[in-house]
């Protein structure tokens, strides 16, 4: 297969550097999967044979269950999700069983399927940065963030539907950029495939569609004065809407009509009296409060006097090590503290970097608006979710893992436009420090105790 060159690319040294980052990023994901057993660091997985959770959903299809349930999804935990990820997982387990793999081992090996999703997603991230014509330090900065972000390590071993959903959303973004440059039917078809794949995997994939719609509208307005182009685009977009909208809504409409299941249903709607509840804290305290817990423990606290209620602090904690309960107090713990602080600095910098994309001093482009909208829509819906479902687990970074991509793009644009300024050099040095800490801490996590 011929190597695709980076647009406007560069030297042998640059390609070698990027390959090194890509390979190290893939090795970190593989290492995480190898040292993490199936039930550690998972979300809503539950146990084999219980008929509930993501494991139960996979077993349901393994036993011949119907895609459209004849029972209300509310009665079985996590069955409210669209079925695509669980169908693929069931097929993977079935193939493993046919090869003579023991039942429990076949489910353990589902982590390799998640690893595959994570590896493809990382490659798609790199392709997107290439599509944006990043090169040199701009490309390196963007790639470092996405290659070594710990939330993406965590997804590489996660058996739920988060990893596949992120893959589909990333693919839709890549082909939207390509369609923006060349309005071919092939590019539009691939956008439809990725969007539908994402929605059939997890409904929050729909959050990328407003930004995609803005790109469609912008190109249509730009080409409106050319009758031939106008007719061609109107035809393309009409077919896209006719296919994607009904197919994307099928699952939700079926459950709403048959079981009166709300379109935005989540199990948190049914939960009362949880020890994770943080509804007693005011909106101001949840956004800015630091007393009584958030800074007293490095790991996320789900109950007790130190319970995490601050959205920003919990977001930073879960971005670095998910919901792990750490059990080491040595060098590894100190490294995680430093890593969390550096990650916090980058997170704080990412917001002005993204807002700068559409600022007066920045040369505006549809690409920049596209990434700005992806970032802001995801963040705003995340905040809405946190306040609507007032639980500690609702603040997990995995719900907005996609924001790593526009943040990386924003840093890349900043590097490209600032050139050799001190701030650009400082950002790259900070990103290199962050990457080293990420690698070191997650290699250390494989050697030190973790709980849950």
């Amino acid at each position: 297969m011929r190597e695709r060159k980076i647009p406007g690319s560069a030297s042998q040294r640059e390609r070698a550097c990027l390959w090194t980052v890509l390979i190290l990023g893939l090795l970190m994901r593989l290492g995480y999967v190898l040292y993490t057993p199936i039930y550690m660091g998972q979300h809503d997985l539950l146990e084999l044979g219980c008929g509930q959770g993501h494991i139960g959903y996979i077993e349901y299809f393994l036993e011949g269950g119907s895609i459209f349930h004849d029972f209300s999804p509310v009665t079985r935990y996590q069955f409210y999700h669209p079925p695509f990820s669980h169908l693929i997982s069931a097929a993977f387990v079935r193939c493993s069983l046919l090869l003579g793999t023991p039942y429990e081992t076949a489910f353990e090996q589902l982590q390799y399927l998640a690893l595959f999703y994570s590896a493809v997603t990382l490659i798609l991230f790199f392709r997107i940065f290439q599509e944006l014509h990043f090169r040199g330090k701009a490309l390196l900065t963007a790639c470092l963030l996405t290659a070594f972000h710990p939330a993406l390590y965590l997804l590489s071993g996660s058996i739920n539907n988060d990893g596949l959903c992120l893959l589909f959303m990333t693919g839709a973004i890549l082909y939207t950029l390509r369609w923006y440059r060349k309005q071919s039917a092939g590019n539009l078809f691939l956008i439809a495939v990725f969007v539908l794949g994402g929605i059939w995997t997890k409904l929050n994939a729909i959050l990328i569609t407003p930004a995609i719609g803005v790109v469609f509208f912008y190109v249509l307005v730009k080409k409106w004065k050319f009758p031939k182009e106008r007719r061609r685009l109107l035809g393309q977009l009409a077919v896209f809407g006719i296919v994607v909208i009904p197919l994307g809504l099928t699952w939700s409409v079926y459950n709403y009509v048959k079981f009166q299941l709300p379109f935005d249903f989540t199990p948190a709607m049914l939960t009362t009296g949880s020890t994770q509840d943080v509804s007693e804290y005011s909106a101001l305290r949840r956004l800015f409060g630091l007393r009584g817990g958030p800074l007293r423990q490095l790991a996320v606290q789900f109950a007790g006097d130190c319970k995490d209620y601050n959205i920003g602090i919990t977001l930073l904690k879960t971005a670095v090590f998910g919901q792990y309960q750490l059990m080491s107090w040595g060098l590894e713990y100190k490294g995680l503290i430093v890593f969390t602080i550096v990650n916090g600095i980058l997170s704080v910098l990412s917001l002005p970097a993204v807002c700068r994309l559409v600022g007066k001093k920045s040369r505006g482009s549809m690409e920049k608006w596209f990434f700005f909208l992806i970032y802001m829509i995801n963040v705003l819906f995340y905040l809405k979710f946190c306040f609507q479902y007032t639980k500690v687990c609702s603040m997990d970074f995995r719900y907005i893992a996609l924001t790593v991509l526009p943040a990386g793009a924003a840093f890349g644009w900043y590097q490209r436009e600032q050139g050799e300024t001190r701030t650009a050099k400082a950002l790259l040095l900070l990103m290199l420090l962050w990457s080293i800490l990420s690698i070191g801490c997650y290699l250390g996590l494989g050697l030190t105790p973790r709980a849950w």
Side-chain angles (χ1 to χ4, degrees):
M1 190 167 81
R2 269 174 34 183
E3 178 182 319
R4 179 178 169 176
K5 293 185 179 179
I6 299 170
S9 181
S11 63
Q12 192 74 22
R13 180 181 175 184
E14 180 179 307
R15 287 196 295 273
C17 185
L18 289 175
W19 273 107
T20 301
V21 171
L22 175 62
I23 291 169
L24 283 176
L26 294 173
L27 286 175
M28 289 302 297
R29 286 156 173 76
L30 173 61
Y32 177 78
V33 169
L34 290 175
Y35 69 62
T36 303
I38 182 175
Y39 287 113
M40 181 171 278
Q42 300 290 344
H43 298 280
D44 308 312
L45 201 61
L46 301 190
E47 297 178 355
L48 288 168
C50 73
Q52 304 282 341
H54 291 291
I55 284 282
Y57 206 172
I58 295 167
E59 287 187 300
Y60 166 79
F61 287 123
L62 197 60
E63 295 163 1
S66 171
I67 292 175
F68 292 98
H69 315 317
D70 55 2
F71 56 88
S72 173
V74 173
T75 62
R76 298 180 72 171
Y77 186 55
Q78 294 302 318
F79 277 56
Y80 74 96
H81 283 294
F84 194 46
S85 173
H86 303 86
L87 278 168
I88 294 175
S89 294
F92 183 90
V93 171
R94 175 62 66 195
C95 289
S96 295
L97 294 175
L98 290 174
L99 293 173
T101 307
Y103 193 75
E104 290 188 10
T105 304
F107 276 85
E108 177 83 34
Q109 290 175 351
L110 281 172
Q111 285 188 301
Y112 293 109
L113 185 60
L115 175 64
F116 171 75
Y117 298 154
S118 185
V120 173
T121 302
L122 179 59
I123 293 168
L124 289 173
F125 282 159
F126 276 41
R127 290 297 191 198
I128 286 169
F129 298 139
Q130 292 170 3
E131 201 69 34
L132 295 174
H133 297 183
F134 289 169
R135 57 177 295 180
K137 293 178 182 177
L139 183 57
L140 178 60
T141 299
C143 289
L144 284 172
L145 184 65
T146 51
F148 301 119
H149 200 292
L152 303 181
Y153 302 158
L154 296 170
L155 286 180
S156 69
S158 183
I159 291 174
N160 67 6
N161 51 2
D162 288 327
L164 183 59
C165 182
L166 181 62
L167 185 158
F168 281 127
M169 289 193 290
T170 306
I173 291 167
L174 173 61
Y175 282 96
T176 299
L177 289 173
R178 290 182 175 175
W179 184 87
Y180 172 67
R181 293 188 175 82
K182 183 182 179 182
Q183 291 83 50
S184 69
N187 284 334
L188 195 66
F189 171 76
L190 288 169
I191 297 171
V193 169
F194 281 111
V195 168
L196 285 173
I199 294 172
W200 291 340
T201 299
K202 193 171 183 178
L203 288 177
N204 71 342
I206 205 168
L207 292 180
I208 62 168
T209 57
I212 293 172
V214 169
V215 174
F216 288 170
F217 181 74
Y218 176 83
V219 171
L220 184 60
V221 169
K222 195 175 178 182
K223 299 288 182 74
W224 191 261
K225 59 184 177 181
F226 306 106
K228 187 176 179 181
E229 285 294 303
R230 182 174 69 230
R231 287 193 297 272
R232 185 174 69 87
L233 285 174
L234 284 172
Q236 277 191 10
L237 297 178
V239 171
F240 181 89
I242 290 169
V243 172
V244 171
I245 293 174
L247 287 178
L249 292 176
T250 299
W251 171 262
S252 297
V253 170
Y254 171 81
N255 283 299
Y256 180 77
V257 171
K258 190 170 180 66
F259 306 112
Q260 292 74 56
L261 191 74
F263 282 75
D264 62 344
F265 175 80
T266 175
M269 288 182 174
L270 308 176
T271 306
T272 57
S274 171
T275 57
Q276 292 192 39
D277 186 70
V278 291
S279 59
E280 70 270 23
Y281 297 96
S282 67
L284 282 176
R285 285 198 70 186
R286 295 202 62 204
L287 290 171
F288 306 109
L290 297 176
R291 291 193 313 170
L295 298 180
R296 292 169 65 183
Q297 295 286 340
L298 182 60
V300 179
Q301 303 300 305
F302 292 90
D305 296 335
C306 296
K307 180 167 58 177
D308 277 286
Y309 61 84
N310 181 293
I311 294 172
I313 300 298
T314 309
L315 191 67
L316 290 176
K317 290 181 179 182
T318 55
V320 173
F321 40 80
Q323 296 181 10
Y324 279 122
Q325 298 301 301
L326 305 170
M327 299 171 66
S328 171
W329 296 93
L331 180 62
E332 170 67 18
Y333 194 81
K334 293 174 183 176
L336 281 170
I337 292 174
V338 177
F339 184 30
T340 303
I341 293 170
V342 175
N343 186 67
I345 294 170
L346 283 173
S347 299
V348 169
L349 291 175
S350 70
L351 183 58
V354 171
C355 291
R356 186 178 178 276
L357 297 179
V358 293
K360 292 181 180 179
K361 294 183 180 180
S362 179
R363 287 190 307 165
S365 72
M366 190 63 248
E367 292 169 338
K368 291 181 177 180
W369 271 102
F370 182 49
F371 282 94
F372 172 80
L373 289 172
I374 291 169
Y375 185 93
M376 295 307 297
I377 289 170
N378 274 271
V379 169
L380 290 174
F381 272 85
Y382 166 80
L383 289 172
K384 175 181 177 292
F385 185 75
C386 289
F387 284 111
Q388 188 173 2
Y389 305 109
T390 52
K391 308 236 177 351
V392 177
C393 63
S394 298
M395 297 180 274
D396 197 304
F397 182 82
R398 68 191 175 97
Y399 294 119
I400 54 168
L402 183 65
T403 57
V404 174
L405 175 61
F411 286 143
W413 267 306
Y414 183 83
Q415 282 284 3
R416 187 169 70 182
E417 292 164 6
Q418 293 298 305
E420 295 299 317
T421 62
R422 290 182 180 179
T423 54
K425 291 178 180 178
L427 176 61
L428 181 56
L429 286 174
L430 186 64
M431 196 68 73
L432 287 168
L433 173 62
W434 180 87
S435 300
I436 293 168
L437 286 167
S438 174
I439 292 169
C441 287
Y442 266 78
L443 289 177
L445 276 179
L447 302 172
T448 55
R450 294 167 291 159
W452 197 25

